[in-house]
Amino acid sequence: MSDPNNLTPEHVRRTALRLLTQFPSGIKQADLMRETELELSFDYVIPEHLIKNSLWNLADSFPEYVEKRKVSYRNVFLFPTNELFEFIRKAYPKFDRDGKNKKPSPPEKKNLLMGMVTYGAVTIQGAIQDANINEAIIEIQQNYLKELTIQEIEAIVSLKHTIEQFNNLRDKLVHMQSLRS
């Protein structure tokens, strides 16, 4: 295992490029960030914002490998180019054109299940971020609190607290996965 505290932006980018080849039909940029975080979480303690800071301009940094299509402000898709497939094929000979291992080694069942749980937690956290729930709660609290019923206020406060707890537990889960690798 690599030094869990020595994750570099360059390593994040290389991992994302390799993962991008698994999505020849494209992937949302936010989903690629989550996939990259999940993959790296098994070997590294990931500092806050490192993934986003490393990947936000992936297409601009590697235009020969990544095609970017912006559907809307929050809906950005990334596509692997033929040059990326060729580069990955040479750099990782055990990968085929679809980015899949030709001869995968079967992981231990416990590690597989923990990986599934971690993936689910990362996916849920991404959905919460994509839905802008925290921003909506803040705006409601700042601008519309007087117009809410007691039950609505309780629900908003409870939801905010639940999201905070979930994020803390997700961070612990990802960290524990990285220690086991």
Side-chain angles (χ1 to χ4, degrees):
M1 179 174 119
S2 304
D3 179 0
N5 296 310
N6 196 21
L7 181 61
T8 65
E10 185 58 36
H11 188 75
V12 171
R13 290 184 201 101
R14 282 193 319 265
T15 301
L17 288 172
R18 183 178 50 76
L19 289 172
L20 183 59
T21 63
Q22 295 180 17
F23 303 93
S25 300
I27 183 173
K28 282 180 71 172
Q29 186 173 22
D31 292 341
L32 181 61
M33 288 179 181
R34 280 192 289 279
E35 291 286 334
T36 303
E37 180 177 12
L38 177 63
E39 169 113 353
L40 293 171
S41 69
F42 291 104
D43 295 322
Y44 295 96
V45 175
I46 301 174
E48 188 175 2
H49 306 299
L50 177 65
I51 301 296
K52 286 184 181 180
N53 289 343
S54 300
L55 299 181
W56 73 272
N57 64 345
L58 188 66
D60 297 330
S61 298
F62 299 97
E64 69 278 12
Y65 296 144
V66 181
E67 180 184 337
K68 177 179 175 179
R69 294 185 199 155
K70 194 171 189 177
V71 177
S72 67
Y73 173 71
R74 290 199 157 276
N75 207 4
V76 177
F77 282 84
L78 301 178
F79 297 85
T81 64
N82 287 332
E83 289 84 0
L84 178 60
F85 283 115
E86 187 62 25
F87 173 78
I88 293 297
R89 187 183 62 74
K90 288 178 182 175
Y92 301 94
K94 66 180 180 175
F95 282 81
D96 63 16
R97 173 139 172 95
D98 294 328
K100 306 277 193 262
N101 270 334
K102 289 183 179 177
K103 297 178 184 174
S105 60
E108 296 176 344
K109 187 165 184 152
K110 181 174 93 176
N111 288 339
L112 178 61
L113 293 172
M114 288 302 294
M116 291 169 59
V117 170
T118 303
Y119 176 78
V122 170
T123 302
I124 291 168
Q125 185 183 37
I128 290 168
Q129 290 172 344
D130 288 349
N132 295 318
I133 294 172
N134 287 327
E135 291 84 358
I137 290 172
I138 290 168
E139 186 171 343
I140 288 169
Q141 288 177 325
Q142 290 174 347
N143 300 320
Y144 305 104
L145 198 58
K146 293 179 183 178
E147 299 172 27
L148 299 178
T149 66
I150 295 294
Q151 291 84 6
E152 289 171 324
I153 292 171
E154 288 175 350
I156 293 291
V157 169
S158 179
L159 179 60
K160 183 178 179 182
H161 180 68
T162 300
I163 290 171
E164 289 170 357
Q165 282 184 315
F166 176 82
N167 286 336
N168 289 336
L169 292 172
R170 177 250 172 226
D171 291 343
K172 287 179 184 177
L173 182 61
V174 168
H175 179 71
M176 294 300 285
Q177 276 296 107
S178 69
L179 294 177
R180 289 177 194 219
S181 300

